[in-house]
Amino acid sequence: MKSSNSKSIFPSSNQLFYDLFNDAAANVTEMARLLDEAVNSPTSYEQKFNFAHIDKLKFKSYEITHRVFNESGRMLISPFGRKDMCDLASAIDDVADRITMAARRINLYNVPAITQPIINLAGLILTASTELEKAVNTMNELSRSAEIFETCANIKRIEADADRVYNTAFADLLANQTDAIELIKYTDVFVAMETATDACEDATLIIESILIKMG
């Protein structure tokens, strides 16, 4: 018989949901990896290929979220409540939304140059998404709650780093960019990228809430 310390947040009878959350988090990490590759791509062709793949994975994120909503409405979930499940699924999907928005703005705005702040923000999005996936993957063991809380704290630190990159980049734009259209383009790109790390932090708040309820 399993000890109570190894009890799963996702009940064993509902392994389906654990797998769905793992898939959703892994999908977000892959989207973030593609965004990072896109802004570091040596050619426009490779960049656009990665952007197109991000769009496809966004649809996959929607499908996973929709399935969580449907399955949680049909099955008895105990002790992990339906609202918490839907909130977590929505939070992960929101990260996918923000990554997609950042990719689309870089692509559609046809920004004249991929600047260092864009590269830095893409790297931070990837790091935050990877940490979010780690937190979700670890949620099957309550005995590892301290590890999950630490991973959530890491994501919050990454979000703070993204804030600093955004603020510095925006200040530099205001000081040096004389073309109003280019100023708007870069500002929108920076905002979209920074909000992707915000979304990762928002997901940690849901995870922490679940841990506290299950503790």
Side-chain angles (χ1 to χ4, degrees), residues 160-174:
D161 288 342
D163 277 347
R164 284 189 286 271
V165 171
Y166 166 78
N167 289 332
T168 301
F170 184 60
D172 183 66
L173 272 179
L174 292 178

Side-chain angles (χ1 to χ4, degrees), residues 100-111:
T100 304
M101 181 171 64
R104 286 176 178 173
R105 287 187 178 177
I106 296 170
N107 187 31
L108 296 176
Y109 287 5
N110 195 26
V111 293

Side-chain angles (χ1 to χ4, degrees), residues 128-149:
S129 298
T130 302
E131 288 292 289
L132 179 60
E133 181 183 6
K134 177 182 173 183
V136 171
N137 288 343
T138 313
M139 287 180 71
N140 66 318
E141 294 183 62
L142 279 177
S143 61
R144 299 174 68 184
S145 60
E147 181 181 338
I148 300 172
F149 276 119

Side-chain angles (χ1 to χ4, degrees), residues 10 24 30 57 96 101 112-113 139 142 146 152 171 174 178 181 183 206:
F10 301 90
E30 178 62 11
L57 293 184
M101 181 171 64
M139 287 180 71
L142 279 177
C152 290
L174 292 178
T178 57
I181 298 300
L183 175 64
I206 305 297

Side-chain angles (χ1 to χ4, degrees), residues 50-137:
N50 286 327
F51 287 148
H53 198 179
I54 288 171
D55 270 340
K56 292 179 182 178
L57 293 184
K58 175 59 193 83
F59 184 71
K60 179 180 178 180
S61 178
Y62 168 78
E63 288 183 321
I64 295 171
T65 304
H66 187 64
R67 190 174 178 195
V68 170
F69 278 38
N70 283 345
E71 295 292 344
S72 64
R74 293 192 302 106
M75 299 176 69
L76 178 62
I77 306 301
S78 177
F80 192 45
R82 183 175 188 270
K83 182 180 185 303
D84 288 329
M85 294 186 69
C86 292
D87 285 348
L88 180 56
S90 295
I92 297 172
D93 187 52
D94 191 45
V95 179
D97 279 338
R98 302 297 180 173
I99 293 172
T100 304
M101 181 171 64
R104 286 176 178 173
R105 287 187 178 177
I106 296 170
N107 187 31
L108 296 176
Y109 287 5
N110 195 26
V111 293
I114 299 297
T115 62
Q116 192 60 48
I118 292 175
I119 293 172
N120 292 345
L121 285 169
L124 289 167
I125 292 169
L126 177 56
T127 304
S129 298
T130 302
E131 288 292 289
L132 179 60
E133 181 183 6
K134 177 182 173 183
V136 171
N137 288 343

